[in-house]
Amino acid sequence: MQGLGTKYKFSQWRKCLLLAGCSFTVFTSASALASIFPATAHVALELSTTAKVLNIANACVQVAMGLSVFVWQPVQVFIGRRNAFLLALLILLCFSIGAARATSTGMFIAMRVIVGSTGTFFLLAGQEILAETFEPVIRGTAFGFIQIGNTAGMTIGPCIGGAIVYYTHWRVIYWVQVGLAGLSLILSFFSIPSEKDMSNDQPKVTGSKSATLNPLRVLKPLLHPNVLITDLACGVLCFFQFVVLTSIPNTLNPRFNLTSPLVSGLFYLAPFGGFALGSLAGGVVSDRTTRRYIKKRGGVRLPQDRLNGALPIWLGLLPVSMVIYGWTLDREVGGMAVPIISIFFVSCGIVMAFNGLNTYCAETLPEQRSAVISGKYVVQYSLGAVSTGAVVPMIDAMGVGLVFTICTVVSFIGGIAVFLVARYGLQMQKNRFSASVK
């Protein structure tokens, strides 16, 4: 249980600057991952490899994103979160140059993996900073803006990439990323505060710094059933997200005989619109749900309350829109309009559901906030890697309709799990699976 007496010291303009810096950096990192998608065939041709190899490499990037928390978690403890944030941006900038100048498949994949390994830390540090900067009753909205940065990068990035490869060369995509990374570095230098400047909502570091080198520290919060269920739910949403994004070239392009990367890239505008609307709406719904339950309980706030706002998404919007999207493509009915509209609502539902879960992870164990969020990304991007690597073979073997039907069933199961955390999260948190990990 939490009251509302915590002080948040920054002025409103400083909070907006900080939010803009975090969101733009996350956008830069996400676009570095996704903007190359429409150019996959061109990259494969020039580097004498196949699109299948590059799709597997994309899955490896997802794995690197999940495992990178075991590196960045101790780095930020030893050199400070602000310095680690700037270091990660410098690595993003330098290895984007490496990707732009890659002369072999191995070099290109290595640069991609290293660039991808920085992305999770921007999300992790950004969520920590926002949790320490914004009051609980508006925290969900703040998280919505950083989510817009993430989803915009993954959808606007391919649009930009498609236009670039249509008019010029795929390597230009990475030179654009270099420029974005440089701008993010400048903006973050002036906007990201050091830990000593943060609010007194910042969790205190306990134990020696060397203890952060123990990977079990990141996994320890998973012993709480509510944290484990929440992380798995985030992983399921990440799976859905990359099923949608990765499947676009392999479902919409053949369905409507699209051969131009420019036109193919434009199809990412529909999920972008859904992601943008869902990020804003999800934050508003999450915060309003929190305020409603605070009033209902006479001023007492439980972090799990905000999860109630996402239940209609899990059990209604996501299943319906996924079934429509999958089977209209599978049966080739509804023309171009129905898949575009349905993928908009799928994307909107994914990030609306994400918002409450992301905010809950930052609130449920405030003294272990960094470890909880880090563990979430290990689980989340592990399932994201599975979807990135498996979705195309699944669609080829089963058909797009059946794949999205399976996603629908998983959505119902996820909704039930989130319902249990929303109702019994506090009780779950008090009962760990095991006390063996110290």
Side-chain angles (χ1 to χ4, degrees):
M1 279 184 291
Q2 299 175 6
L4 299 175
T6 305
K7 303 298 182 183
Y8 298 85
K9 61 189 293 184
F10 289 142
S11 62
Q12 196 63 33
W13 74 266
R14 181 67 190 278
K15 290 180 180 180
C16 291
L17 178 63
L18 196 157
L19 181 58
C22 289
S23 300
F24 186 76
T25 300
V26 168
F27 167 80
T28 299
S29 174
S31 62
L33 170 67
S35 58
I36 201 67
F37 287 168
T40 298
H42 296 75
V43 177
L45 181 63
E46 182 169 335
L47 298 181
S48 301
T49 185
T50 64
K52 183 178 181 180
V53 169
L54 293 180
N55 284 332
I56 294 173
N58 288 334
C60 292
V61 173
Q62 294 283 319
V63 173
M65 292 177 72
L67 297 180
S68 65
V69 299
F70 295 109
V71 176
W72 288 108
Q73 181 79 349
V75 167
Q76 74 164 333
V77 172
F78 278 95
I79 70 174
R81 184 169 58 205
R82 170 184 160 81
N83 291 334
F85 200 94
L86 297 177
L87 174 62
L89 271 169
L90 186 61
I91 291 174
L92 173 60
L93 188 153
C94 292
F95 285 90
S96 292
I97 295 175
R101 299 183 65 85
T103 56
S104 67
T105 303
M107 180 180 177
F108 177 75
I109 292 174
M111 297 300 106
R112 288 267 295 160
V113 169
I114 295 173
V115 166
S117 68
T118 63
T120 304
F121 180 66
F122 298 132
L123 288 165
L124 165 63
Q127 286 182 240
E128 289 181 4
I129 291 168
L130 297 187
E132 296 163 16
T133 305
F134 289 89
E135 296 85 347
V137 292
I138 60 171
R139 191 174 289 159
T141 302
F143 274 45
F145 279 99
I146 201 171
Q147 189 69 33
I148 286 179
N150 186 38
T151 55
M154 288 191 292
T155 48
I156 294 296
C159 292
I160 297 173
I164 288 174
V165 77
Y166 182 78
Y167 288 109
T168 176
H169 195 277
W170 67 264
R171 294 182 187 273
V172 177
I173 294 173
Y174 280 101
W175 290 116
V176 172
Q177 292 302 322
V178 170
L180 291 174
L183 183 57
S184 296
L185 185 60
I186 295 171
L187 184 58
S188 297
F189 182 83
F190 291 104
S191 65
I192 302 298
S194 62
E195 287 90 334
K196 66 180 181 180
D197 295 328
M198 297 303 294
S199 76
N200 55 5
D201 189 48
Q202 182 185 354
K204 306 299 181 183
V205 177
T206 58
S208 66
K209 289 185 177 181
S210 61
T212 62
L213 297 174
N214 183 0
L216 293 181
R217 182 175 178 272
V218 170
L219 301 177
K220 184 179 178 180
L222 295 176
L223 294 174
H224 297 280
N226 59 317
V227 175
L228 178 61
I229 292 173
T230 303
D231 289 359
L232 289 173
C234 288
V236 166
L237 291 174
C238 188
F239 183 92
F240 292 164
Q241 192 172 49
F242 282 96
V243 164
V244 169
L245 295 177
T246 308
S247 67
I248 286 177
N250 299 280
T251 55
L252 293 175
N253 288 6
R255 169 73 174 82
F256 300 111
N257 299 315
L258 305 176
T259 57
S260 165
L262 175 61
V263 177
S264 175
L266 291 176
F267 267 101
Y268 286 90
L269 289 175
F272 165 68
F275 286 148
L277 177 62
S279 297
L280 293 174
V284 172
V285 169
S286 175
D287 289 338
R288 285 186 175 178
T289 303
T290 298
R291 287 193 288 267
R292 178 160 55 87
Y293 275 84
I294 288 174
K295 184 176 181 180
K296 181 179 178 180
R297 290 200 175 93
V300 176
R301 180 180 71 91
L302 297 180
Q304 69 205 45
D305 289 340
R306 67 175 68 246
L307 298 179
N308 289 287
L311 293 178
I313 307 299
W314 282 98
L315 301 174
L317 180 61
L318 274 177
V320 171
S321 54
M322 284 193 292
V323 164
I324 293 174
Y325 176 72
W327 285 107
T328 52
L329 284 176
D330 193 274
R331 299 303 180 187
E332 299 186 359
V333 296
M336 192 177 290
V338 175
I340 289 176
I341 293 171
S342 57
I343 200 174
F344 172 88
F345 284 106
V346 171
S347 304
C348 181
I350 288 171
V351 291
M352 284 189 72
F354 246 134
N355 186 281
L357 292 168
N358 283 337
T359 312
Y360 176 73
C361 285
E363 295 177 337
T364 183
L365 292 170
E367 71 283 358
Q368 300 180 55
R369 178 178 293 142
S370 183
V372 172
I373 298 175
S374 297
K376 177 184 86 78
Y377 283 117
V378 172
V379 176
Q380 180 174 316
Y381 284 117
S382 295
L383 289 178
V386 171
S387 63
T388 301
V391 61
V392 174
M394 287 173 62
I395 290 174
D396 290 342
M398 304 165 57
V400 64
L402 190 54
V403 168
F404 277 89
T405 300
I406 293 172
C407 290
T408 297
V409 174
V410 174
S411 180
F412 279 116
I413 296 172
I416 294 170
V418 172
F419 169 80
L420 293 176
V421 176
R423 291 293 182 270
Y424 308 109
L426 193 60
Q427 295 92 314
M428 291 180 181
Q429 189 166 306
K430 293 177 180 178
N431 296 281
R432 302 200 312 172
F433 286 122
S434 169
S436 60
V437 179
K438 301 297 183 183

